[in-house]
Amino acid sequence: MTGKSAAKSLAHPAVSNLESHLGFWLRYVSNHVSGAFQKAVESQGVSVSEWVALRQLYGAGDLSQGELMASLGMTKGAVSKIVQRLETGGLLTRTVAAEDSRSWRLALTKSGRALVPRLAALADANDEAFFGHLDPSVRADLIETMKSIVIARELKEIPTE
């Protein structure tokens, strides 16, 4: 190797292509899936974070603000802002907890309970738009693969953005 080519190889080491990384493809697809869903839920007057909180409350019936915070893996301040927006929008009620007057119990209003199935239908339609061409067994394998990564990496926070 000549001095010139040796200097060139030190200055420009081999670099893998973006497209050779699984993370690139995951992010590429995720950005498009998430962006389309964000537009869909925002057309209904809520953010993705608010949708996730609504869905958690829909399944639970009611939660303390701390329980919602833990289930979302978000900070107290972030959850407080979401709760305030949902309460202002008439989608959630906040009442003083009977067991601790310093704590809040959160529950969906009638409007909030009615909105969740409509938003879930948007999530289902978004999944179908992006993944409907895949064989159901491939879709199931992808879900299991993603779950195994979540478990292996001990990921806790629910994606909200």
Side-chain angles (χ1 to χ4, degrees), residues 9 52 55 67 94 125 150 161:
S9 68
V52 174
R55 184 60 188 91
E67 289 168 331
R94 182 170 36 172
V150 168
E161 293 299 329

Side-chain angles (χ1 to χ4, degrees), residues 108-149:
L108 296 180
T109 63
K110 186 176 180 181
S111 296
R113 289 200 75 69
L115 180 60
V116 171
R118 292 197 317 262
L119 297 175
L122 293 175
D124 294 342
N126 196 59
D127 265 19
E128 187 60 29
F130 281 92
F131 308 113
H133 69 283
L134 298 174
D135 184 270
S137 66
V138 171
R139 284 173 80 165
D141 287 346
L142 278 172
I143 289 171
E144 290 307 311
T145 300
M146 295 297 104
K147 286 179 180 179
S148 75
I149 294 168

Side-chain angles (χ1 to χ4, degrees), residues 24 51 96 137 150 155 159:
F24 169 82
W51 148 246
V96 175
S137 66
V150 168
L155 304 177

Side-chain angles (χ1 to χ4, degrees), residues 58-136:
Y58 187 85
D62 79 335
L63 293 171
S64 72
Q65 195 156 329
E67 289 168 331
L68 182 62
M69 184 177 75
S71 74
L72 297 177
M74 298 173 81
T75 66
K76 185 177 182 177
V79 171
S80 292
K81 287 177 186 176
I82 290 169
V83 167
Q84 184 176 17
R85 286 192 308 259
L86 292 173
E87 185 177 33
T88 300
L91 300 173
L92 167 119
T93 60
R94 182 170 36 172
T95 56
V96 175
E99 65 276 4
D100 181 357
S101 62
R102 297 169 296 160
S103 183
W104 296 101
R105 295 301 297 177
L106 310 173
L108 296 180
T109 63
K110 186 176 180 181
S111 296
R113 289 200 75 69
L115 180 60
V116 171
R118 292 197 317 262
L119 297 175
L122 293 175
D124 294 342
N126 196 59
D127 265 19
E128 187 60 29
F130 281 92
F131 308 113
H133 69 283
L134 298 174
D135 184 270

